[in-house]
Amino acid sequence: KMNNYKSPKDKVVCIYNCCKVATRVLTLTSERSTGADELLPLLILLLLQANPAALHSNLSFIAACRHPSRLNGEQGYFLTNIMSAAEFLKTVCDQNGVLSHNEALSISPMDFQEQYLSRKSALEAQ
């Protein structure tokens, strides 16, 4: 969807809206307060699942064309998190998008199942 927008401001708003939804999901499904420690892994997962077209060129365009004074507050915070998630994925994935460093994203099956069931039951309780 970000490719539908031409200005860096509109692209930042698109990222902002995505991150606000992700933050809301975290808030609704967590029994404790949430922050960057929870948001960044979720954004990494979202980028893996959504695989947005031309993400890196859009982020480069925003970095080059949006004045830094306009990237403060929540929009700047969320943009930084998306850029961090994208950079992390560039580090652990090969050119074809396949994980080349599997241990970077490893989680024990028991931990995964526990977290998955916890989040699922929290969502169902809503």
Side-chain angles (χ1 to χ4, degrees):
K1 184 175 179 179
M2 197 173 0
N3 285 335
N4 295 339
Y5 301 103
K6 304 299 180 207
S7 75
K9 176 186 176 185
D10 292 340
K11 291 177 185 289
V12 170
V13 169
C14 187
I15 290 170
Y16 173 78
N17 290 336
C18 170
C19 290
K20 285 297 280 185
V21 170
T23 302
R24 184 75 176 135
V25 168
L26 280 175
T27 302
L28 291 173
T29 61
S30 182
E31 296 168 359
R32 55 189 164 86
S33 65
T34 59
D37 289 342
E38 291 79 23
L39 179 61
L40 185 60
L42 178 60
L43 293 177
I44 291 169
L45 179 63
L46 287 174
L47 290 180
L48 278 171
Q49 294 295 316
N51 194 20
L55 175 67
H56 294 291
S57 63
N58 279 310
L59 292 177
S60 296
F61 175 71
I62 292 168
C65 298
R66 186 75 172 147
H67 195 274
S69 67
R70 301 288 186 188
L71 294 175
N72 40 2
E74 270 189 320
Q75 288 186 349
Y77 172 74
F78 288 142
L79 177 63
T80 299
N81 273 280
I82 286 285
M83 290 176 126
S84 298
E87 191 62 34
F88 175 78
L89 289 173
K90 275 179 30 181
T91 303
V92 298
C93 294
D94 65 15
Q95 291 175 331
N96 299 317
V98 176
L99 290 177
S100 56
H101 303 288
N102 289 330
E103 66 275 359
L105 297 178
S106 66
I107 183 171
S108 74
M110 189 170 70
D111 285 344
F112 174 81
Q113 189 69 15
E114 179 182 307
Q115 290 294 320
Y116 171 77
L117 292 173
S118 170
R119 298 290 177 156
K120 183 179 177 187
S121 64
L123 277 174
E124 289 171 349
Q126 295 291 322

